[in-house]
Amino acid sequence: MPAFPCSTTYSTTATAAAPAVPPSLSLPVIEAAFPRQLHPYWPRLQEKTRSWLLEKRLMPAAKVEEYADGLCYTDLMAGYYLGASDEVLQAIADYSAWFFVWDDRHDRDVVHGRASDWRRLRFRLHAALDAPADHLHHRDPLVAALAESATRLFAFLPGTWNARFARHFHSVIEAYDREFRNRVEGRVPGVEEYLALRRLTFAHRIWNDLLELSAGRELPDPVRKHPAFRRAALLSQDFAAWYNDLCSLPKEIAGDEVHNLGISLVTHEGLTLEEAVEEVRRRVEECITEFLAVEKDVLRLAEGLSDGTVRGKEIGAAVRACLANMRNWFSSVYWFHHESGRYMVDSWDDRSTPPYVNNEAAGEK
């Protein structure tokens, strides 16, 4: 099976016609200036992540068979973490697939009013993150799979990176709890509140932490916190989160969601739906323009770090690798939204119920 069968060109030799992109979602600058690439491990990655979903009982076998490949979760990661070792990319892709399944469980717990189930899961995920080895055989497959995933991710870089990743993910779990409460109450957050919450629920810092894992080196704090590096990282993630909002707006309106930049703009800024779509698109385009400017500053930072020492050369190379993958995030996210069955709401029997989810509560027996 060719990689990206409906996609634009990528780093292997095969090519295929790009999927049709609606004019309201089309970004010609991405298609022209952000060439799509693919990690050569992708075919094996897809196969192994599919098997991992089955082994960890994260999706019923029938749903894995029918939907897993079409959801394109591995395509997204294989287009983002270029340069990672096969083992690292596999760990990242499995974690990413877990994250999507967790997001779906969270959504179903809201829809079916399972507040106690969500509260129990929330505390179990915190515990599994703090002590993965103690939760590898937990009766809830989602908890056990996070524990196994964290164990693998934590094997590659020093404990300081592991602690940072865990700290960042604890914040993501709590942000999901805030989303749960907002949805139960039918409360649409204001625009600024939403933007801050979105940066947590989209896990901006997690995906950027994993850039270092892909590069094979933890970056020193002064480098990671350099204004240009931090800005480039934030822009790549804001682009992804807001483009996701643009593409998922019909799905989230159908599902009575309250967390979408477009929904916040309509509710709190008095915009029409059409105006909100245009405003989200404008913000998305600004992310691209600003990234193209700031990436030059990050390249200068990398050059300055390459001071003739071995350490300086390695850190400079790691910064360039991280920056290249920030750039890859734009194209990978863009095409993912037009290929993944996760956003093809018009093809679902029930626009409010994704066909690939399991509607039953899990882990409570």
Side-chain angles (χ1 to χ4, degrees):
M1 175 181 177
F4 300 124
C6 299
S7 76
T8 184
T9 57
Y10 41 87
S11 60
T12 62
T13 56
T15 59
V21 180
S24 62
L25 303 177
S26 176
L27 296 171
V29 66
I30 295 294
E31 299 180 29
F34 291 79
R36 192 177 191 183
Q37 301 184 74
L38 176 69
H39 197 290
Y41 181 63
W42 175 80
R44 183 69 173 143
L45 182 73
Q46 184 185 56
E47 177 187 336
K48 292 192 72 173
T49 295
R50 190 192 315 120
S51 297
W52 188 77
L53 288 168
L54 284 170
E55 176 192 341
K56 298 303 175 184
R57 298 179 292 122
L58 291 174
M59 293 174 66
K63 291 190 182 291
V64 171
E65 177 67 25
E66 186 171 0
Y67 297 110
D69 290 355
L71 289 169
C72 300
Y73 296 159
T74 54
D75 307 44
L76 178 64
M77 294 297 109
Y80 184 22
Y81 293 104
L82 274 292
S85 70
D86 293 354
E87 186 180 15
V88 164
L89 184 61
Q90 188 67 63
I92 292 174
D94 290 348
Y95 169 73
S96 172
W98 175 90
F99 200 112
F100 279 112
V101 174
W102 174 51
D103 184 76
D104 291 335
R105 169 89 77 85
H106 176 267
D107 176 70
R108 295 296 96 187
D109 281 350
V110 172
V111 168
H112 295 289
R114 300 192 295 240
S116 60
D117 290 357
W118 163 250
R119 188 180 308 110
R120 190 178 296 110
L121 175 62
R122 169 190 165 206
F123 292 134
R124 287 172 174 173
L125 294 180
H126 280 305
L129 192 58
D130 285 336
D134 296 339
H135 293 80
L136 292 172
H137 305 290
H138 197 280
R139 65 180 178 273
D140 186 335
L142 204 64
V143 176
L146 175 63
E148 196 266 355
S149 182
T151 299
R152 289 160 63 199
L153 292 171
F154 290 168
F156 299 108
L157 289 180
T160 47
W161 183 91
N162 296 346
R164 171 162 40 102
F165 180 95
R167 184 171 67 252
H168 289 166
F169 196 65
H170 281 304
S171 297
V172 172
I173 296 169
E174 287 305 292
Y176 263 70
D177 185 56
R178 287 164 57 193
E179 277 206 350
F180 190 96
R181 286 182 277 118
N182 284 343
R183 290 185 65 185
V184 168
E185 297 166 7
R187 178 180 175 274
V188 178
V191 173
E192 293 307 314
E193 179 189 351
Y194 170 75
L195 294 176
L197 180 60
R198 182 63 162 147
R199 286 169 178 162
L200 289 169
T201 57
F202 196 81
H204 281 31
R205 290 181 295 183
I206 290 293
W207 306 119
N208 288 326
D209 289 339
L210 292 170
L211 288 170
E212 296 168 74
L213 204 64
S214 175
R217 186 181 187 95
E218 182 181 23
L219 294 175
D221 278 358
V223 174
R224 189 169 47 83
K225 295 179 179 180
H226 187 280
F229 187 89
R230 293 185 70 168
R231 187 62 183 163
L234 178 63
L235 288 165
S236 72
Q237 292 299 307
D238 275 349
F239 165 83
W242 300 345
Y243 192 69
N244 175 269
D245 280 4
L246 198 60
C247 294
S248 62
L249 188 55
K251 169 177 176 274
E252 291 175 346
I253 289 175
D256 293 324
E257 249 287 12
V258 297
H259 297 102
N260 185 290
L261 180 52
I263 294 172
S264 288
L265 288 165
V266 169
T267 303
H268 295 284
E269 302 296 328
L271 274 61
T272 66
L273 184 59
E274 293 76 13
E275 290 169 340
V277 167
E278 284 304 310
E279 173 60 16
V280 177
R281 182 185 172 93
R282 184 190 66 79
R283 292 176 185 238
V284 164
E285 290 174 339
E286 281 189 350
C287 287
I288 302 168
T289 301
E290 190 175 347
F291 180 85
L292 290 170
V294 78
E295 72 174 337
K296 298 174 184 176
D297 296 329
V298 181
L299 286 171
R300 282 192 286 270
L301 168 66
E303 291 170 5
L305 292 167
S306 301
D307 57 3
T309 66
V310 172
R311 181 174 183 273
K313 181 179 179 181
E314 290 177 348
I315 295 175
V319 168
R320 281 189 286 271
C322 289
L323 177 64
N325 281 334
M326 292 175 201
R327 167 177 268 276
N328 287 334
W329 191 236
F330 286 85
S331 58
S332 191
V333 162
Y334 180 74
W335 292 112
F336 169 69
H337 281 86
H338 302 296
E339 295 171 351
S340 174
R342 194 172 179 86
Y343 305 101
M344 295 180 182
V345 64
D346 290 336
S347 68
W348 301 352
D349 292 336
D350 177 354
R351 289 171 61 89
S352 67
T353 305
Y356 48 83
V357 300
N358 180 5
N359 280 297
E360 299 177 1
E364 302 308 319
K365 295 181 179 179

